[in-house]
mmCIF file of all heavy atoms in Angstrom:
data_model
loop_
_atom_site.group_PDB
_atom_site.id
_atom_site.type_symbol
_atom_site.label_atom_id
_atom_site.label_comp_id
_atom_site.label_asym_id
_atom_site.label_seq_id
_atom_site.Cartn_x
_atom_site.Cartn_y
_atom_site.Cartn_z
ATOM 1 N N ALA A 200 90.032 122.541 121.458
ATOM 2 C CA ALA A 200 91.423 121.996 121.822
ATOM 3 C C ALA A 200 91.679 120.717 121.032
ATOM 4 O O ALA A 200 90.922 119.746 120.978
ATOM 5 C CB ALA A 200 91.466 121.729 123.249
ATOM 6 N N PHE A 201 92.639 120.782 120.217
ATOM 7 C CA PHE A 201 93.060 119.604 119.319
ATOM 8 C C PHE A 201 94.574 119.586 119.271
ATOM 9 O O PHE A 201 95.172 120.572 118.707
ATOM 10 C CB PHE A 201 92.431 119.726 117.985
ATOM 11 C CG PHE A 201 92.849 118.584 117.049
ATOM 12 C CD1 PHE A 201 92.247 117.285 117.398
ATOM 13 C CD2 PHE A 201 93.611 118.808 116.027
ATOM 14 C CE1 PHE A 201 92.642 116.273 116.458
ATOM 15 C CE2 PHE A 201 94.052 117.687 115.207
ATOM 16 C CZ PHE A 201 93.479 116.389 115.445
ATOM 17 N N THR A 202 95.178 118.571 119.842
ATOM 18 C CA THR A 202 96.715 118.424 119.749
ATOM 19 C C THR A 202 96.966 117.164 119.165
ATOM 20 O O THR A 202 96.206 116.207 119.166
ATOM 21 C CB THR A 202 97.289 118.589 121.111
ATOM 22 O OG1 THR A 202 96.782 117.564 121.920
ATOM 23 C CG2 THR A 202 96.997 119.964 121.782
ATOM 24 N N TYR A 203 98.280 116.922 118.695
ATOM 25 C CA TYR A 203 98.691 115.610 118.198
ATOM 26 C C TYR A 203 100.269 115.620 118.262
ATOM 27 O O TYR A 203 100.819 116.586 118.427
ATOM 28 C CB TYR A 203 98.209 115.340 116.763
ATOM 29 C CG TYR A 203 98.638 116.379 115.687
ATOM 30 C CD1 TYR A 203 99.905 116.193 115.087
ATOM 31 C CD2 TYR A 203 97.902 117.453 115.354
ATOM 32 C CE1 TYR A 203 100.355 117.070 114.097
ATOM 33 C CE2 TYR A 203 98.409 118.356 114.392
ATOM 34 C CZ TYR A 203 99.545 118.086 113.845
ATOM 35 O OH TYR A 203 99.967 119.068 112.833
ATOM 36 N N HIS A 204 100.737 114.335 118.131
ATOM 37 C CA HIS A 204 102.137 114.171 118.068
ATOM 38 C C HIS A 204 102.662 114.373 116.672
ATOM 39 O O HIS A 204 101.881 114.319 115.700
ATOM 40 C CB HIS A 204 102.478 112.902 118.728
ATOM 41 C CG HIS A 204 101.933 112.736 120.130
ATOM 42 N ND1 HIS A 204 102.425 113.437 121.185
ATOM 43 C CD2 HIS A 204 100.829 112.158 120.612
ATOM 44 C CE1 HIS A 204 101.697 113.175 122.204
ATOM 45 N NE2 HIS A 204 100.624 112.444 121.876
ATOM 46 N N ASN A 205 103.896 114.521 116.535
ATOM 47 C CA ASN A 205 104.427 114.900 115.216
ATOM 48 C C ASN A 205 105.315 113.936 114.554
ATOM 49 O O ASN A 205 106.043 113.112 115.141
ATOM 50 C CB ASN A 205 105.216 116.224 115.410
ATOM 51 C CG ASN A 205 104.359 117.388 115.663
ATOM 52 O OD1 ASN A 205 103.660 117.843 114.833
ATOM 53 N ND2 ASN A 205 104.212 117.828 116.958
ATOM 54 N N SER A 206 105.297 113.921 113.232
ATOM 55 C CA SER A 206 106.162 113.205 112.379
ATOM 56 C C SER A 206 106.917 114.100 111.478
ATOM 57 O O SER A 206 106.408 115.214 111.095
ATOM 58 C CB SER A 206 105.411 112.228 111.516
ATOM 59 O OG SER A 206 104.679 111.245 112.328
ATOM 60 N N PHE A 207 108.193 113.685 111.066
ATOM 61 C CA PHE A 207 109.036 114.506 110.341
ATOM 62 C C PHE A 207 109.692 113.716 109.119
ATOM 63 O O PHE A 207 110.196 112.652 109.501
ATOM 64 C CB PHE A 207 110.088 115.198 111.144
ATOM 65 C CG PHE A 207 109.626 115.983 112.288
ATOM 66 C CD1 PHE A 207 109.388 115.394 113.566
ATOM 67 C CD2 PHE A 207 109.349 117.308 112.213
ATOM 68 C CE1 PHE A 207 108.939 116.005 114.640
ATOM 69 C CE2 PHE A 207 108.889 118.045 113.267
ATOM 70 C CZ PHE A 207 108.686 117.389 114.516
ATOM 71 N N LEU A 208 109.809 114.293 107.992
ATOM 72 C CA LEU A 208 110.583 113.871 106.973
ATOM 73 C C LEU A 208 111.825 114.783 106.938
ATOM 74 O O LEU A 208 111.721 116.041 106.780
ATOM 75 C CB LEU A 208 110.057 113.902 105.550
ATOM 76 C CG LEU A 208 108.975 112.801 105.242
ATOM 77 C CD1 LEU A 208 108.286 113.209 103.961
ATOM 78 C CD2 LEU A 208 109.616 111.511 105.135
ATOM 79 N N ILE A 209 113.072 114.256 107.097
ATOM 80 C CA ILE A 209 114.215 115.127 107.161
ATOM 81 C C ILE A 209 115.233 114.601 106.260
ATOM 82 O O ILE A 209 115.651 113.362 106.239
ATOM 83 C CB ILE A 209 114.869 114.958 108.643
ATOM 84 C CG1 ILE A 209 113.685 115.294 109.700
ATOM 85 C CG2 ILE A 209 116.078 115.882 108.792
ATOM 86 C CD1 ILE A 209 114.095 114.922 111.131
ATOM 87 N N ALA A 210 115.651 115.466 105.284
ATOM 88 C CA ALA A 210 116.604 115.082 104.288
ATOM 89 C C ALA A 210 117.744 116.024 104.039
ATOM 90 O O ALA A 210 117.544 117.230 104.217
ATOM 91 C CB ALA A 210 115.827 114.765 102.963
ATOM 92 N N ASP A 211 118.815 115.432 103.622
ATOM 93 C CA ASP A 211 119.924 116.337 103.101
ATOM 94 C C ASP A 211 120.362 115.708 101.737
ATOM 95 O O ASP A 211 119.646 114.874 101.262
ATOM 96 C CB ASP A 211 121.061 116.477 104.140
ATOM 97 C CG ASP A 211 121.787 115.144 104.402
ATOM 98 O OD1 ASP A 211 121.783 114.208 103.579
ATOM 99 O OD2 ASP A 211 122.256 115.038 105.556
ATOM 100 N N ARG A 212 121.498 116.171 101.276
ATOM 101 C CA ARG A 212 121.925 115.709 99.926
ATOM 102 C C ARG A 212 122.352 114.253 99.915
ATOM 103 O O ARG A 212 122.322 113.561 98.863
ATOM 104 C CB ARG A 212 123.111 116.473 99.410
ATOM 105 C CG ARG A 212 122.769 117.882 99.051
ATOM 106 C CD ARG A 212 124.088 118.659 98.589
ATOM 107 N NE ARG A 212 123.940 120.037 98.421
ATOM 108 C CZ ARG A 212 123.663 120.564 97.197
ATOM 109 N NH1 ARG A 212 123.647 119.747 96.156
ATOM 110 N NH2 ARG A 212 123.632 121.850 97.146
ATOM 111 N N LYS A 213 122.558 113.662 101.047
ATOM 112 C CA LYS A 213 123.085 112.272 101.114
ATOM 113 C C LYS A 213 122.113 111.203 101.758
ATOM 114 O O LYS A 213 122.236 110.032 101.485
ATOM 115 C CB LYS A 213 124.413 112.297 101.840
ATOM 116 C CG LYS A 213 125.512 113.071 101.161
ATOM 117 C CD LYS A 213 126.801 112.936 101.906
ATOM 118 C CE LYS A 213 127.885 113.793 101.081
ATOM 119 N NZ LYS A 213 129.157 113.932 101.816
ATOM 120 N N GLU A 214 121.297 111.748 102.626
ATOM 121 C CA GLU A 214 120.407 110.744 103.323
ATOM 122 C C GLU A 214 119.173 111.411 103.761
ATOM 123 O O GLU A 214 118.965 112.608 103.866
ATOM 124 C CB GLU A 214 121.141 110.086 104.543
ATOM 125 C CG GLU A 214 121.469 111.146 105.607
ATOM 126 C CD GLU A 214 122.328 110.480 106.833
ATOM 127 O OE1 GLU A 214 122.812 109.397 106.551
ATOM 128 O OE2 GLU A 214 122.372 111.129 107.797
ATOM 129 N N ALA A 215 118.170 110.501 104.190
ATOM 130 C CA ALA A 215 116.842 110.964 104.621
ATOM 131 C C ALA A 215 116.471 110.128 105.853
ATOM 132 O O ALA A 215 116.820 108.951 105.880
ATOM 133 C CB ALA A 215 115.849 110.893 103.569
ATOM 134 N N TRP A 216 115.717 110.752 106.671
ATOM 135 C CA TRP A 216 115.230 110.054 107.916
ATOM 136 C C TRP A 216 113.751 110.422 108.101
ATOM 137 O O TRP A 216 113.297 111.436 107.696
ATOM 138 C CB TRP A 216 115.975 110.606 109.153
ATOM 139 C CG TRP A 216 117.385 110.178 109.235
ATOM 140 C CD1 TRP A 216 118.435 110.709 108.638
ATOM 141 C CD2 TRP A 216 117.890 109.140 110.157
ATOM 142 N NE1 TRP A 216 119.549 109.957 108.966
ATOM 143 C CE2 TRP A 216 119.263 109.065 109.909
ATOM 144 C CE3 TRP A 216 117.233 108.304 111.064
ATOM 145 C CZ2 TRP A 216 120.079 108.138 110.584
ATOM 146 C CZ3 TRP A 216 118.080 107.305 111.702
ATOM 147 C CH2 TRP A 216 119.449 107.282 111.422
ATOM 148 N N VAL A 217 113.052 109.453 108.735
ATOM 149 C CA VAL A 217 111.747 109.664 109.154
ATOM 150 C C VAL A 217 111.832 109.641 110.753
ATOM 151 O O VAL A 217 112.342 108.751 111.304
ATOM 152 C CB VAL A 217 110.717 108.574 108.693
ATOM 153 C CG1 VAL A 217 109.407 108.746 109.322
ATOM 154 C CG2 VAL A 217 110.564 108.638 107.159
ATOM 155 N N LEU A 218 111.242 110.704 111.327
ATOM 156 C CA LEU A 218 111.250 110.743 112.826
ATOM 157 C C LEU A 218 109.778 110.925 113.251
ATOM 158 O O LEU A 218 109.062 111.747 112.723
ATOM 159 C CB LEU A 218 111.990 111.936 113.316
ATOM 160 C CG LEU A 218 111.888 112.361 114.711
ATOM 161 C CD1 LEU A 218 112.446 111.275 115.630
ATOM 162 C CD2 LEU A 218 112.591 113.650 115.074
ATOM 163 N N GLU A 219 109.320 109.957 114.103
ATOM 164 C CA GLU A 219 107.959 109.973 114.537
ATOM 165 C C GLU A 219 108.013 110.047 116.123
ATOM 166 O O GLU A 219 108.829 109.375 116.687
ATOM 167 C CB GLU A 219 107.204 108.761 113.992
ATOM 168 C CG GLU A 219 107.124 108.871 112.557
ATOM 169 C CD GLU A 219 106.254 107.781 111.889
ATOM 170 O OE1 GLU A 219 106.136 106.675 112.494
ATOM 171 O OE2 GLU A 219 105.688 108.015 110.825
ATOM 172 N N THR A 220 107.058 110.726 116.714
ATOM 173 C CA THR A 220 106.981 110.978 118.094
ATOM 174 C C THR A 220 105.726 110.572 118.780
ATOM 175 O O THR A 220 104.601 110.546 118.070
ATOM 176 C CB THR A 220 107.249 112.399 118.411
ATOM 177 O OG1 THR A 220 106.165 113.239 117.995
ATOM 178 C CG2 THR A 220 108.505 112.939 117.772
ATOM 179 N N SER A 221 105.785 110.216 120.037
ATOM 180 C CA SER A 221 104.501 109.941 120.826
ATOM 181 C C SER A 221 104.938 110.463 122.210
ATOM 182 O O SER A 221 105.604 109.829 122.937
ATOM 183 C CB SER A 221 104.243 108.404 120.869
ATOM 184 O OG SER A 221 103.121 108.168 121.642
ATOM 185 N N GLY A 222 104.398 111.690 122.567
ATOM 186 C CA GLY A 222 104.828 112.303 123.752
ATOM 187 C C GLY A 222 106.282 112.536 123.792
ATOM 188 O O GLY A 222 106.704 113.110 122.673
ATOM 189 N N LYS A 223 107.102 112.220 124.770
ATOM 190 C CA LYS A 223 108.507 112.343 124.630
ATOM 191 C C LYS A 223 109.279 111.191 123.999
ATOM 192 O O LYS A 223 110.391 111.226 123.830
ATOM 193 C CB LYS A 223 109.092 112.642 126.088
ATOM 194 C CG LYS A 223 109.118 111.399 126.967
ATOM 195 C CD LYS A 223 109.794 111.699 128.322
ATOM 196 C CE LYS A 223 110.061 110.403 129.067
ATOM 197 N NZ LYS A 223 110.933 110.690 130.223
ATOM 198 N N TYR A 224 108.500 110.229 123.662
ATOM 199 C CA TYR A 224 109.102 109.011 123.113
ATOM 200 C C TYR A 224 109.092 109.099 121.614
ATOM 201 O O TYR A 224 108.244 109.787 121.001
ATOM 202 C CB TYR A 224 108.293 107.700 123.538
ATOM 203 C CG TYR A 224 108.373 107.559 125.082
ATOM 204 C CD1 TYR A 224 107.319 108.050 125.812
ATOM 205 C CD2 TYR A 224 109.546 107.130 125.647
ATOM 206 C CE1 TYR A 224 107.367 107.968 127.232
ATOM 207 C CE2 TYR A 224 109.562 107.038 127.018
ATOM 208 C CZ TYR A 224 108.558 107.412 127.804
ATOM 209 O OH TYR A 224 108.641 107.366 129.174
ATOM 210 N N TRP A 225 110.132 108.476 121.001
ATOM 211 C CA TRP A 225 110.261 108.714 119.595
ATOM 212 C C TRP A 225 111.049 107.497 118.923
ATOM 213 O O TRP A 225 111.697 106.716 119.587
ATOM 214 C CB TRP A 225 111.078 109.932 119.218
ATOM 215 C CG TRP A 225 112.400 110.081 119.967
ATOM 216 C CD1 TRP A 225 112.591 110.518 121.246
ATOM 217 C CD2 TRP A 225 113.591 109.596 119.471
ATOM 218 N NE1 TRP A 225 113.967 110.435 121.513
ATOM 219 C CE2 TRP A 225 114.641 109.882 120.485
ATOM 220 C CE3 TRP A 225 114.062 108.989 118.276
ATOM 221 C CZ2 TRP A 225 116.026 109.562 120.300
ATOM 222 C CZ3 TRP A 225 115.437 108.678 118.159
ATOM 223 C CH2 TRP A 225 116.364 108.951 119.162
ATOM 224 N N ALA A 226 110.856 107.350 117.596
ATOM 225 C CA ALA A 226 111.611 106.372 116.798
ATOM 226 C C ALA A 226 112.028 107.047 115.462
ATOM 227 O O ALA A 226 111.309 107.901 115.058
ATOM 228 C CB ALA A 226 110.760 105.130 116.549
ATOM 229 N N ALA A 227 113.239 106.642 115.050
ATOM 230 C CA ALA A 227 113.726 107.237 113.732
ATOM 231 C C ALA A 227 114.089 106.078 112.828
ATOM 232 O O ALA A 227 114.669 105.113 113.279
ATOM 233 C CB ALA A 227 114.805 108.121 114.006
ATOM 234 N N GLU A 228 113.691 106.266 111.607
ATOM 235 C CA GLU A 228 114.087 105.271 110.528
ATOM 236 C C GLU A 228 114.936 105.963 109.461
ATOM 237 O O GLU A 228 114.497 106.985 108.922
ATOM 238 C CB GLU A 228 112.843 104.739 109.907
ATOM 239 C CG GLU A 228 113.015 103.882 108.710
ATOM 240 C CD GLU A 228 111.714 103.551 108.002
ATOM 241 O OE1 GLU A 228 110.645 103.634 108.560
ATOM 242 O OE2 GLU A 228 111.827 103.153 106.851
ATOM 243 N N LYS A 229 116.089 105.412 109.171
ATOM 244 C CA LYS A 229 116.908 105.903 108.022
ATOM 245 C C LYS A 229 116.262 105.318 106.778
ATOM 246 O O LYS A 229 116.073 104.122 106.602
ATOM 247 C CB LYS A 229 118.326 105.504 108.173
ATOM 248 C CG LYS A 229 119.225 106.096 107.142
ATOM 249 C CD LYS A 229 120.659 105.756 107.393
ATOM 250 C CE LYS A 229 121.563 106.414 106.290
ATOM 251 N NZ LYS A 229 122.954 106.050 106.455
ATOM 252 N N VAL A 230 116.058 106.172 105.783
ATOM 253 C CA VAL A 230 115.389 105.732 104.584
ATOM 254 C C VAL A 230 116.539 105.139 103.752
ATOM 255 O O VAL A 230 117.551 105.871 103.369
ATOM 256 C CB VAL A 230 114.713 106.978 103.828
ATOM 257 C CG1 VAL A 230 114.158 106.488 102.478
ATOM 258 C CG2 VAL A 230 113.611 107.571 104.727
ATOM 259 N N GLU A 231 116.448 103.992 103.361
ATOM 260 C CA GLU A 231 117.500 103.296 102.649
ATOM 261 C C GLU A 231 117.308 103.253 101.139
ATOM 262 O O GLU A 231 118.207 102.875 100.479
ATOM 263 C CB GLU A 231 117.664 101.839 103.170
ATOM 264 C CG GLU A 231 117.913 101.646 104.605
ATOM 265 C CD GLU A 231 119.384 102.172 105.031
ATOM 266 O OE1 GLU A 231 120.213 102.325 104.119
ATOM 267 O OE2 GLU A 231 119.539 102.448 106.252
ATOM 268 N N GLY A 232 116.172 103.643 100.652
ATOM 269 C CA GLY A 232 115.890 103.598 99.107
ATOM 270 C C GLY A 232 114.408 103.555 98.926
ATOM 271 O O GLY A 232 113.606 103.546 99.855
ATOM 272 N N GLY A 233 114.123 103.585 97.711
ATOM 273 C CA GLY A 233 112.745 103.553 97.327
ATOM 274 C C GLY A 233 111.929 104.839 97.593
ATOM 275 O O GLY A 233 112.550 105.940 97.489
ATOM 276 N N VAL A 234 110.720 104.750 97.980
ATOM 277 C CA VAL A 234 109.951 105.956 98.313
ATOM 278 C C VAL A 234 109.473 105.777 99.751
ATOM 279 O O VAL A 234 109.285 104.720 100.230
ATOM 280 C CB VAL A 234 108.687 106.083 97.403
ATOM 281 C CG1 VAL A 234 109.122 106.368 95.978
ATOM 282 C CG2 VAL A 234 107.808 104.900 97.504
ATOM 283 N N ARG A 235 109.228 107.009 100.408
ATOM 284 C CA ARG A 235 108.752 106.941 101.850
ATOM 285 C C ARG A 235 107.875 108.232 102.032
ATOM 286 O O ARG A 235 108.217 109.236 101.546
ATOM 287 C CB ARG A 235 110.026 106.991 102.780
ATOM 288 C CG ARG A 235 109.806 106.853 104.262
ATOM 289 C CD ARG A 235 109.187 105.438 104.446
ATOM 290 N NE ARG A 235 109.165 105.040 105.969
ATOM 291 C CZ ARG A 235 108.197 105.548 106.745
ATOM 292 N NH1 ARG A 235 107.161 106.217 106.339
ATOM 293 N NH2 ARG A 235 108.367 105.228 108.026
ATOM 294 N N ASN A 236 106.769 107.964 102.790
ATOM 295 C CA ASN A 236 105.965 109.123 103.061
ATOM 296 C C ASN A 236 105.537 109.010 104.492
ATOM 297 O O ASN A 236 105.665 107.992 105.221
ATOM 298 C CB ASN A 236 104.778 109.176 102.131
ATOM 299 C CG ASN A 236 103.863 107.937 102.325
ATOM 300 O OD1 ASN A 236 104.223 106.847 102.355
ATOM 301 N ND2 ASN A 236 102.528 108.223 102.318
ATOM 302 N N ILE A 237 104.960 110.154 105.063
ATOM 303 C CA ILE A 237 104.411 110.201 106.328
ATOM 304 C C ILE A 237 103.060 110.916 106.165
ATOM 305 O O ILE A 237 102.778 111.497 105.138
ATOM 306 C CB ILE A 237 105.249 110.945 107.308
ATOM 307 C CG1 ILE A 237 105.423 112.428 106.895
ATOM 308 C CG2 ILE A 237 106.581 110.301 107.579
ATOM 309 C CD1 ILE A 237 106.161 113.338 107.897
ATOM 310 N N SER A 238 102.135 110.727 107.170
ATOM 311 C CA SER A 238 100.941 111.371 107.081
ATOM 312 C C SER A 238 100.456 111.501 108.601
ATOM 313 O O SER A 238 101.176 111.704 109.476
ATOM 314 C CB SER A 238 99.818 110.625 106.237
ATOM 315 O OG SER A 238 98.718 111.337 106.008
ATOM 316 N N ASN A 239 99.103 111.365 108.752
ATOM 317 C CA ASN A 239 98.460 111.607 110.011
ATOM 318 C C ASN A 239 98.424 110.385 110.918
ATOM 319 O O ASN A 239 97.403 110.133 111.529
ATOM 320 C CB ASN A 239 97.184 112.308 109.844
ATOM 321 C CG ASN A 239 96.281 111.534 108.936
ATOM 322 O OD1 ASN A 239 96.744 110.705 108.166
ATOM 323 N ND2 ASN A 239 94.991 111.856 108.956
ATOM 324 N N GLN A 240 99.425 109.536 110.846
ATOM 325 C CA GLN A 240 99.414 108.289 111.684
ATOM 326 C C GLN A 240 100.939 107.884 111.835
ATOM 327 O O GLN A 240 101.771 108.339 110.959
ATOM 328 C CB GLN A 240 98.721 107.175 111.003
ATOM 329 C CG GLN A 240 99.266 106.780 109.690
ATOM 330 C CD GLN A 240 98.389 105.698 109.029
ATOM 331 O OE1 GLN A 240 97.215 105.949 108.778
ATOM 332 N NE2 GLN A 240 99.022 104.626 108.535
ATOM 333 N N LEU A 241 101.266 107.104 112.779
ATOM 334 C CA LEU A 241 102.648 106.655 112.917
ATOM 335 C C LEU A 241 102.776 105.564 111.766
ATOM 336 O O LEU A 241 101.925 104.828 111.466
ATOM 337 C CB LEU A 241 102.812 105.919 114.265
ATOM 338 C CG LEU A 241 102.733 106.926 115.468
ATOM 339 C CD1 LEU A 241 102.849 106.119 116.730
ATOM 340 C CD2 LEU A 241 103.793 107.995 115.413
ATOM 341 N N SER A 242 104.050 105.609 111.190
ATOM 342 C CA SER A 242 104.305 104.639 110.060
ATOM 343 C C SER A 242 105.604 103.768 110.274
ATOM 344 O O SER A 242 105.920 102.981 109.513
ATOM 345 C CB SER A 242 104.403 105.482 108.840
ATOM 346 O OG SER A 242 105.444 106.331 108.799
#
C-alpha cells in the first residue's frame, strides 16, 4: 500500500498554474514567468 497526494502543472496558450494538494486541502500558484517545475514534494 503506497499512496500520496498530487501536484499538477496546468497550462494553456496564455497561462500556467501549479496546483498542489494535501488531502482535501490545496494551494495554487499562477506561473508569472521564468521556469517552474514540480516533483515528488510540495513546492
Side-chain angles (χ1 to χ4, degrees):
F201 179 72
T202 62
Y203 61 88
H204 305 284
N205 292 284
S206 296
F207 305 88
L208 284 171
I209 306 166
D211 62 31
R212 291 177 186 262
K213 295 182 180 171
E214 65 184 14
W216 288 79
V217 173
L218 170 63
E219 295 184 333
T220 67
S221 179
K223 74 174 189 173
Y224 300 98
W225 55 272
E228 172 191 339
K229 185 175 181 181
V230 179
E231 301 289 347
V234 296
R235 188 66 168 82
N236 66 315
I237 60 174
S238 189
N239 50 345
Q240 65 187 51
L241 296 177
S242 63

